[in-house]
Amino acid sequence: MVVCGDDGLAHRLAAELRGVYREQVTLVVPPSGNRASQPVAGRARAASAALLGMVNAAVSRSGGGAEPNGAGRAAELEAAEPTEDVLAEAGVDRAAALALVYDDDETNIRAALTARRLNPRLRLVLRLYNRRLGRHIEELLDQSTALAIGDARDPGLDGAGTSTTVLSDADTAAPALAATALVGTSKVLETDGLLLRAVERQPPRPGEVADPGLCTLALLSATSNDPAGTDGSEGSDEGPQLLPDAAAVAAATGRGTVALEQVSYSGPPLPAARAGVPPFGELFSRRLRWSLAGLGACVVALAVALMLVTGDHPLHATYVTLLDLFAINEPAHNRDSGRQILQLLSGFVGLLLLPVLLAAVLEALGTFRNASTLRKPPRGLGGHVVLLGLGKIGTRVLTRLREMDIPVVCVEADPEARGMATARRLRVPVVLGDVTQEGVLEAAKIHRAHSLLALTSVDTTNLEAVLYARSVRSGLRVVLRLYDDDFATAVYRTLRAAHPGALTRSRSVTHLCAPAFAGAMMGRQILGAIPVERRVLLFAAVEVAGHPELEGRTVGEAFRAGAWRVLALEVSDGTRDEDADAEGVRESRLVWELPDTYVLRGEDRVVLAATRRGLAELLGRRARRRTDG
């Protein structure tokens, strides 16, 4: 395995491949002085080196230099750019898979084209932020592979007949981060039309029967409600139990569960006071609308009075009133006193109408002029989400929240940040300023907010913002983006101990994304990852053929507690995709709640939930069979 990158994701991915899948890894990184994110990359490199060192030491104690499956020690190569010579030196021509996880899309695409030329059978995993471009690049590279190899079922390809996978760390982490801001929702997984929700449920009360949903994914740690608990630390007997069997679920009294549900986007709507504002309300202020309404009421009153005084038809009385209002009617000096008084009142109302009409024109022009500018948080806003940071991750999270009609106020220090255009397009209020400066969070109405998502790229900035927000409102729901796992655990436990009644979550983007990237390098279509406390569950689409643990077994027999579980079966629904009608490709759908007696066949394709080590065991056995063959 070859991993090329310039930030923390590359180091964590290398550690994942080496520590979980026990693969031989070559890590290509820029020289120490040229790394874009030195503090983050430094911590990632230290974490990677520590994990690799522990694994190598364990192997040495167990019997020498050779590891299972022929894996050797990890190697590191320093190079400023992934040129053809660098890729050749890293062994791309004889590698099984290559991950290009540079922060720059152009660098990853250029290296992918070069690597495909060096090794047509190479399995490629690319990190691209531009999703539309990623789809085109994936099709292009797969087409070049098919032409070079001439066999879509070559062993170098995965079960789907593809050798290229394009992933986005922002898209992988955004659903889990955005879902934490919702009431009653902790984790969301969405990809290729699949939308699932993993809900944390408290232990049922005596006499109540817990609803398992589609299935029970995990048992939460016994200390999950204890402020001094470890929040599911690895190696703790009280930690979370992933993919438990029915007996374990029945025996786990007093422990919360994580249940899987299939849902559609139906998040809480905007508050009723601000929901469904018509376009008229967007053009004119509330004060101007009240002024126009008052003038309209005066016109109606004058028309009714004229009808009663003169006995005219209502339409004719209204017409005469409007003529008097705009001062284009004949003077009523030869009429009775009632008619004269009404004409004077109409003229006075007409004088009041002129400045109101002028103000309406100016406000409408100002609204159109400011349509592309940033909005300010409206007065009286409450129950919203305050989002700190509009970088790659913050932009994706913002889009998710607005898709669910969650009111959001963003805080960003850089007026040229990546997500500013998205905020303007979605008409989301933005407060420009450094979140560590006094008054910035107050401008975002933090004292009336529902939750705070601190998603900047600096751990200390996120922590400072959360601590200040908690000093303003102790019960505020907060989610921190923290890279360092040990630091995140310490922050989480301290905040929960200090504020036991408030929800606190800490998330690492690389921690959420590395398992998905590693699984894609092993040849599986990873649909996503869901965090369970400080551990991760993977969701993957797997071909049954070639897996004796699945093929020929029933769904019940294929279930391995703590390792993997079959969730759904992909079947054809008999309809055709319009874009692929010429090729006769049929659309497929997922069948959930499979009976335990269903026998898995070789041609089946299933969606399963697996732990990292469980998925590694499935892939490792298949790799050994190919090697032996």
Side-chain angles (χ1 to χ4, degrees):
M1 301 290 173
V2 180
V3 178
C4 303
D6 58 356
D7 61 5
L9 179 57
H11 293 275
R12 192 179 288 273
L13 176 56
E16 185 86 11
L17 292 169
R18 184 65 177 80
V20 177
Y21 296 95
R22 307 184 72 82
E23 292 287 339
Q24 184 175 356
V25 182
T26 298
L27 180 61
V28 181
V29 292
S32 301
N34 297 339
R35 291 177 187 169
S37 303
Q38 185 66 20
V40 174
R43 287 197 301 269
R45 185 175 183 180
S48 173
L51 179 55
L52 296 180
M54 288 188 292
V55 174
N56 286 331
V59 172
S60 299
R61 290 193 301 268
S62 64
E67 286 207 5
N69 300 338
R73 297 178 183 273
E76 183 170 317
L77 176 63
E78 291 191 349
E81 293 183 0
T83 61
E84 182 173 353
D85 294 337
V86 171
L87 293 177
E89 184 179 356
V92 167
D93 56 335
R94 58 186 183 278
L98 167 66
L100 296 167
V101 293
Y102 290 95
D103 192 52
D104 179 54
D105 287 1
E106 182 180 350
T107 301
N108 292 328
I109 294 173
R110 185 170 61 250
L113 297 174
T114 303
R116 177 61 74 220
R117 185 175 68 253
L118 294 175
N119 187 352
R121 287 180 171 84
L122 182 69
R123 184 179 297 115
L124 281 174
V125 178
L126 278 74
R127 171 190 183 184
L128 295 182
Y129 180 78
N130 191 326
R131 291 175 289 183
R132 179 179 299 178
L133 176 61
R135 288 193 295 267
H136 294 313
I137 292 297
E138 188 172 320
E139 295 174 359
L140 174 64
L141 293 174
D142 284 340
Q143 184 178 3
S144 65
T145 299
L147 293 175
I149 296 176
D151 182 6
R153 286 296 177 182
D154 186 272
L157 308 181
D158 66 11
T162 177
S163 63
T164 307
T165 304
V166 176
L167 298 175
S168 168
D169 55 339
D171 286 333
T172 304
L177 293 170
T180 314
L182 303 181
V183 177
T185 301
S186 54
K187 298 104 182 173
V188 166
L189 169 72
E190 181 190 18
T191 180
D192 296 334
L194 176 67
L195 180 61
L196 304 173
R197 178 174 63 178
V199 181
E200 291 186 7
R201 295 176 175 172
Q202 296 301 319
R205 298 177 180 177
E208 293 182 351
V209 178
D211 180 14
L214 292 175
C215 69
T216 299
L217 292 177
L219 297 173
L220 297 177
S221 61
T223 60
S224 59
N225 295 320
D226 180 10
T230 59
D231 188 34
S233 299
E234 299 271 359
S236 173
D237 294 336
E238 303 297 333
Q241 185 177 350
L242 304 183
L243 301 176
D245 54 19
V249 174
T253 58
R255 296 178 65 173
T257 61
V258 177
L260 184 67
E261 296 178 351
Q262 186 180 14
V263 296
S264 58
Y265 270 137
S266 57
L270 290 170
R274 295 180 295 279
V277 178
F280 182 81
E282 295 290 337
L283 286 175
F284 307 114
S285 65
R286 179 180 298 180
R287 183 180 300 177
L288 184 60
R289 294 199 300 268
W290 277 110
S291 300
L292 291 174
L295 289 175
C298 291
V299 171
V300 173
L302 290 172
V304 172
L306 183 62
M307 181 182 64
L308 295 177
V309 170
T310 61
D312 287 347
H313 188 272
L315 292 179
H316 184 265
T318 303
Y319 172 71
V320 173
T321 300
L322 291 176
L323 291 178
D324 293 336
L325 188 72
F326 294 113
I328 56 178
N329 198 9
E330 295 181 358
H333 57 272
N334 294 327
R335 308 292 294 272
D336 54 65
S337 58
R339 176 70 182 86
Q340 292 175 351
I341 293 174
L342 290 177
Q343 189 176 56
L344 291 174
L345 292 176
S346 299
F348 179 71
V349 173
L351 293 177
L352 297 178
L353 180 62
L354 289 177
V356 174
L357 292 178
L358 179 61
V361 172
L362 294 178
E363 279 200 7
L365 292 176
T367 300
F368 286 117
R369 184 180 67 251
N370 297 329
S372 60
T373 62
L374 296 174
R375 302 182 64 193
K376 294 182 179 180
R379 293 181 179 180
L381 179 65
H384 58 289
V385 176
V386 177
L387 174 63
L388 309 184
L390 285 176
K392 293 195 305 182
I393 305 299
T395 303
R396 288 286 192 258
V397 173
L398 172 62
T399 303
R400 300 280 180 175
L401 291 174
R402 294 306 300 133
E403 286 175 352
M404 295 182 284
D405 291 332
I406 305 297
V408 185
V409 174
C410 299
V411 179
E412 175 57 52
D414 183 10
E416 302 297 328
R418 185 191 295 265
M420 284 297 185
T422 302
R424 291 189 183 95
R425 176 174 55 84
L426 298 177
R427 307 203 67 186
V428 174
V430 178
V431 176
L432 285 175
D434 187 352
V435 71
T436 61
Q437 299 297 321
E438 185 176 357
V440 174
L441 283 178
E442 284 82 354
K445 316 292 184 184
I446 192 65
H447 57 286
R448 291 200 296 264
H450 172 267
S451 57
L452 170 67
L453 294 176
L455 305 181
T456 70
S457 58
V458 183
D459 288 1
T460 54
T461 299
N462 295 334
L463 178 58
E464 183 177 353
V466 167
L467 292 177
Y468 180 77
R470 279 283 171 83
S471 68
V472 175
R473 184 179 177 185
S474 60
L476 183 68
R477 177 192 298 252
V478 298
V479 181
L480 296 86
R481 174 190 176 187
L482 299 176
Y483 175 79
D484 190 277
D485 240 11
D486 294 335
F487 182 54
T489 302
V491 169
Y492 172 82
R493 294 179 61 182
T494 304
L495 286 175
R496 190 170 63 174
H499 304 278
L503 186 142
T504 304
R505 292 289 184 267
S506 60
R507 294 289 180 259
S508 167
V509 173
T510 55
H511 181 75
L512 293 174
C513 299
F517 278 81
M521 291 187 71
M522 299 303 296
R524 295 283 74 82
Q525 182 186 357
I526 301 297
L527 302 179
I530 285 180
V532 179
E533 296 183 0
R534 305 220 64 79
R535 302 180 67 181
V536 175
L537 266 179
L538 300 177
F539 293 81
V542 177
E543 295 281 352
V544 173
H547 292 285
E549 303 87 353
L550 303 177
E551 190 174 3
R553 297 175 180 265
T554 64
V555 172
E557 294 171 346
F559 171 51
R560 178 78 63 83
W564 61 76
R565 178 172 187 166
V566 176
L567 299 178
L569 174 69
E570 185 178 293
V571 297
S572 173
D573 60 3
T575 61
R576 293 182 182 270
D577 185 358
E578 295 180 358
D579 295 334
D581 187 63
E583 301 177 4
V585 179
R586 293 184 180 274
E587 290 185 345
S588 60
R589 59 185 177 88
L590 295 174
V591 176
W592 300 90
E593 297 182 300
L594 290 173
D596 289 342
T597 56
Y598 177 81
V599 179
L600 300 174
R601 301 168 296 177
E603 61 269 21
D604 287 340
R605 182 177 173 85
V606 297
V607 174
L608 54 82
T611 62
R612 294 183 296 179
R613 296 190 181 276
L615 188 60
E617 184 178 350
L618 276 175
L619 304 183
R621 291 182 180 179
R622 191 172 189 181
R624 285 198 298 272
R625 284 198 305 274
R626 286 179 179 171
T627 303
D628 296 338

